[in-house]
């Protein structure tokens, strides 16, 4: 029997555990002796191969972070691109040595179903377009990563999760900070409660945004800084709460200093999140000031991300026990390698669609609180 032929068509259409289960049942009575050795070898080769990733949407994040990170990954590599801009194709194919048959556009995306070199589609477009592309990629039988925010509504998150479930592919959100050493330490502290539960949290995330683009276009971005930057504080606070989500929120939108630019979305918004154990987070996000800070306090100690709390490098972090200094890691490479490993081993990703949906539900509550001026319960 040609095991390679057996494995190839199955691997991109089924989660690994389904594949292994199917294979072991189907071959239980047949495989003995040297055949068993051959099967073990093929399985081990398959487990050790590098998965092919296509980047869909070749803007700044793909160009400056994800593409370069895919040169550093060990479990996956850049196999192709999906782009709506033909003028970008030559540079990408030259820079990464991509095959012409692995170049797709937004119209012929479905054809990746027939391409065994592609295992993962990474959607890196404005948020409102994530659902369409994630669903199309899943229907083509590919595992999917959606950039954050996962979508612009909870209903769309549900559609994405359902499509991936129906296609039996894994869905991850680009929550790279789960792989960052400082944030891993925060999760450890939250879990082991070294400093006690973190009861008081504060966050500020912003940059000055001065041009018309999808980040301030309600239809494409779903909102302004809350969707683009505030989501980091939402997510970080849930990490610091050991994975719990807030039960209710309050919010106030500040008056706009550039109403002509921020005519569709907020410019600055302040909000609070109340957690089930009584912990509180006070946060602000803005396209009118620069900040990237996050501080959490428990009865027995504190952790303070003083600079670059949520960015790729340059994190400055102190704790009540002294400064933390970890070697910088490539967060994006670690994130993509872990996803590839999940697919190869059948493990479920720790940054699945449910987390993206949870954050979307919290953000929706924050917007409703700002609109109504009332405390709003988070409907998960
Ligand atoms: P960008 O504007 O630089 O790139 C967007 C890409 O989408 C471009 O290639 C553009 O051609 C394409 N696109 C397709 N249809 C479009 C449309 N109708 N309008 C506008 N662009 C369209 O944006 P970016 O900074 O690369 O962000 C893309 C995604 O990545 C967003 O979801 C963003 O939140 C996310 N992002 C994540 C991080 C992170 O650290 N995880 C960092 C930056 C951006």
């Amino acid at each position: 029997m040609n095991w390679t032929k057996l494995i190839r068509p199955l691997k991109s259409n089924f989660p690994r555990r389904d594949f292994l289960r199917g294979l072991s049942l189907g071959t239980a009575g047949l495989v003995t002796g040297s055949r068993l050795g051959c099967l073990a070898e093929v399985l081990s080769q398959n487990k050790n191969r590098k998965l092919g990733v296509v980047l869909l949407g070749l803007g700044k994040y793909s160009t400056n972070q994800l593409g370069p990170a895919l040169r550093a990954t060990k479990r996956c590599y850049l196999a192709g691109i999906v782009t709506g801009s033909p003028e970008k194709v030559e540079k990408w194919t030259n820079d990464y040595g991509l095959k012409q048959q692995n170049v797709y556009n937004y119209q012929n995306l479905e054809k990746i179903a027939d391409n065994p070199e592609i295992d993962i589609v990474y959607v890196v477009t404005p948020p409102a377009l994530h659902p369409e592309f994630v669903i199309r990629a899943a229907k083509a039988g590919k595992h999917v990563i959606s950039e954050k925010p996962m979508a612009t509504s909870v209903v769309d998150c549900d559609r994405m999760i359902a499509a991936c479930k129906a296609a039996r592919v894994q869905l991850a959100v680009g929550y790279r900070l789960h792989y960052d050493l400082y944030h891993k330490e925060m999760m450890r502290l939250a879990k082991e409660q070294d400093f006690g539960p973190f009861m008081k949290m504060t966050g500020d995330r912003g940059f000055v945004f001065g041009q018309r683009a999808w980040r301030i276009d309600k239809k494409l971005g779903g909102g302004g800084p809350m969707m683009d930057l505030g989501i980091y504080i939402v997510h970080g606070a849930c990490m610091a709460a050991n994975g719990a989500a807030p039960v209710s929120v309050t919010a106030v939108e500040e008056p706009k200093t550039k109403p002509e630019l921020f005519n569709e979305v907020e410019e600055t918004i302040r909000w609070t999140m109340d957690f089930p154990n009584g912990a509180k987070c006070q946060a602000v996000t803005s396209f009118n000031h620069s900040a990237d800070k996050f501080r959490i306090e428990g009865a027995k100690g504190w952790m303070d991300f003083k600079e670059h709390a949520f960015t790729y490098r340059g994190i400055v972090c102190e704790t009540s026990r002294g400064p933390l200094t970890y070697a910088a890691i490539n967060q994006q490479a670690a994130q993509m390698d872990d996803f590839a490993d999940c697919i190869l081993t059948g493990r479920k990703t720790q940054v699945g669609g449910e987390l993206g949906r949870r954050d979307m539900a919290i953000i929706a509550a924050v917007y409703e609180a700002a609109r109504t001026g009332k405390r709003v319960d988070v409907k998960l």
Side-chain angles (χ1 to χ4, degrees):
M1 180 175 294
N2 184 337
W3 294 108
T4 316
K5 266 194 174 163
L6 184 68
I7 285 167
R8 266 288 173 199
L10 280 172
K11 57 93 192 142
S12 60
N13 290 325
F14 292 91
R16 177 84 177 160
R17 66 179 175 285
D18 288 352
F19 158 60
L20 286 173
R21 198 185 303 127
L23 195 61
S24 60
L25 286 178
T27 55
L30 298 173
V31 183
T32 51
S34 65
R35 283 207 178 164
L36 194 58
C38 168
L39 172 60
E41 193 181 317
V42 172
L43 284 179
S44 130
Q45 275 170 11
N46 204 44
K47 206 169 162 177
N48 290 330
R49 78 187 180 89
K50 279 186 161 196
L51 297 189
V53 178
V54 289
L55 291 173
L56 185 156
L58 306 178
K60 286 191 282 302
Y61 194 52
S62 285
T63 305
N64 301 330
Q65 306 302 332
L66 297 175
L70 281 160
R71 295 186 196 276
T73 41
K74 298 190 173 65
R75 305 286 267 156
C76 55
Y77 71 104
L78 185 66
I81 48 176
V82 184
T83 179
S85 312
E87 71 281 4
K88 293 181 183 168
V89 170
E90 192 182 347
K91 179 153 176 48
W92 276 81
T93 49
N94 286 344
D95 283 359
Y96 289 93
L98 303 175
K99 297 178 188 163
Q100 278 305 326
Q101 67 261 31
N102 291 358
V103 174
Y104 296 88
N105 57 48
Y106 298 147
Q107 285 70 45
N108 68 11
L109 169 60
E110 277 65 25
K111 289 201 174 144
I112 58 167
D114 305 322
N115 190 334
E117 290 182 7
I118 292 165
D119 302 278
I120 298 168
V121 176
Y122 197 149
V123 177
V124 203
T125 60
L129 307 178
H130 296 168
E132 178 201 329
F133 289 126
V134 165
I135 292 167
R136 287 172 66 190
K139 283 187 175 162
K142 305 301 175 180
H143 301 278
V144 202
I145 309 175
S146 165
E147 249 321 311
K148 48 59 58 178
M150 182 171 159
T152 55
S153 72
V154 175
V155 170
D156 276 349
C157 293
D158 283 334
R159 291 198 304 123
M160 295 157 85
I161 292 168
C164 291
K165 197 171 168 205
R168 303 170 96 193
V169 296
Q170 288 220 40
L171 167 62
V173 182
Y175 286 137
R176 58 183 162 73
L177 289 165
H178 281 249
Y179 306 94
D180 171 75
L181 299 180
Y182 294 86
H183 288 256
K184 278 170 106 161
E185 174 62 0
M186 175 168 80
M187 287 192 278
R188 186 196 68 76
L189 286 168
K191 189 170 175 205
E192 295 175 10
Q193 303 206 343
D194 262 15
F195 293 158
F198 291 117
M199 299 305 287
K200 188 178 167 203
M201 313 180 199
T202 49
D204 186 351
R205 177 92 167 98
F207 58 73
V208 179
F209 197 78
Q211 86 246 29
R212 194 146 286 289
W214 66 259
R215 281 185 166 81
I216 56 169
D217 176 324
K218 180 114 168 62
K219 227 165 147 202
L220 281 172
M226 186 69 216
M227 291 290 287
D228 195 39
L229 303 176
I231 189 169
Y232 286 102
I233 303 176
V234 166
H235 198 85
C238 294
M239 269 182 178
N242 195 24
V247 281
S248 67
V249 302
T250 64
V252 178
E253 189 186 334
E254 286 198 354
K256 294 174 194 203
T257 63
K258 293 182 208 137
E260 67 293 350
L261 201 56
F262 299 99
N263 57 343
E264 295 184 14
V265 301
E266 75 281 2
E267 182 178 325
T268 301
I269 192 165
R270 291 181 185 277
W271 78 103
T272 66
M273 297 183 278
D274 281 53
F275 288 83
N277 67 349
K280 283 183 192 302
C281 177
Q282 277 196 324
V284 57
T285 186
S286 178
F287 275 157
N288 190 30
H289 73 248
S290 287
D292 196 0
K293 296 176 194 303
F294 188 56
R295 181 182 167 94
I296 49 182
E297 296 175 28
K300 292 184 279 175
W302 50 263
M303 185 175 198
D304 196 350
F305 290 82
K306 288 175 168 296
E307 284 174 45
H308 301 293
F310 300 111
T311 29
Y312 326 123
R313 54 188 75 86
I315 293 178
V316 178
C317 184
E318 288 178 13
T319 75
S320 43
R321 286 189 192 135
L324 275 188
T325 39
Y326 293 121
I329 64 148
N330 187 322
Q331 296 171 358
Q332 290 84 359
Q335 169 210 325
M336 290 188 279
D337 264 344
D338 187 65
F339 190 56
D341 190 68
C342 284
I343 293 161
L344 286 163
T345 60
R347 182 165 54 87
K348 191 175 179 315
T349 172
Q350 62 174 296
V351 291
E354 307 74 30
L355 283 192
R357 183 196 186 278
R358 177 202 68 191
D359 292 351
M360 200 59 248
I362 299 167
I363 290 172
V366 169
Y367 279 132
E368 196 189 330
R371 188 177 56 78
T372 60
K374 297 199 171 118
R375 176 171 290 277
V376 171
D377 289 342
V378 175
K379 295 180 206 82
L380 290 175

